Amino acid sequence: EIQSQGVPSVGSALLRLIMSIPSAIILSALATVGAVIWVIASVFILIQEDYPEGLYDFQRGITRWAARLVAYHASLVQEYPPFAFDMGPEDAAASATTSDTQP
C-alpha cells in the first residue's frame, strides 16, 4: 500500500536518481542471484512439483525491494527506500496466525 506523499520537481528527480545508485547496484546483484534461483526453482517445480518457500521468499524480497525503489523514483514516497529484504506485513500476520493455532 502506497500513500502518495511526494512533490516532484526536476531537481528532486535528478537527486533521486543519484541517491538511488547504491540501492540499484545491490538490487542488480540480488537480481542476478535471483535469476539463478529462478532456474533452480524451475527444476524443483519440474522434479518435486513444489516451489520451496525459501526460494519464493527470496524472489518476493527482490520484487518488493524493486517496487519500493520504483515508488521512490516516481515520487510517490518522500523517504528513501530502506536497504531491507523484508517480507512485508503479511509475514507478521502469518506468523501470528501460526502461533495462535499451535498448542
Side-chain angles (χ1 to χ4, degrees), residues 32-100:
T32 304
V33 173
V36 173
I37 287 179
W38 177 81
V39 172
I40 294 169
S42 299
V43 172
F44 268 100
I45 290 171
L46 289 173
I47 294 172
Q48 296 181 349
E49 298 179 0
D50 189 26
Y51 197 126
E53 188 174 340
L55 299 181
Y56 177 76
D57 288 343
F58 186 81
Q59 297 289 31
R60 184 170 55 171
I62 290 173
T63 303
R64 287 190 177 184
W65 191 331
R68 285 192 302 263
L69 194 59
V70 167
Y72 177 71
H73 278 279
S75 295
L76 295 175
V77 294
Q78 283 294 104
E79 63 184 53
Y80 187 76
F83 283 85
F85 207 68
D86 64 338
M87 294 300 118
E90 67 226 33
D91 282 349
S95 64
T97 304
T98 306
S99 64
D100 290 342

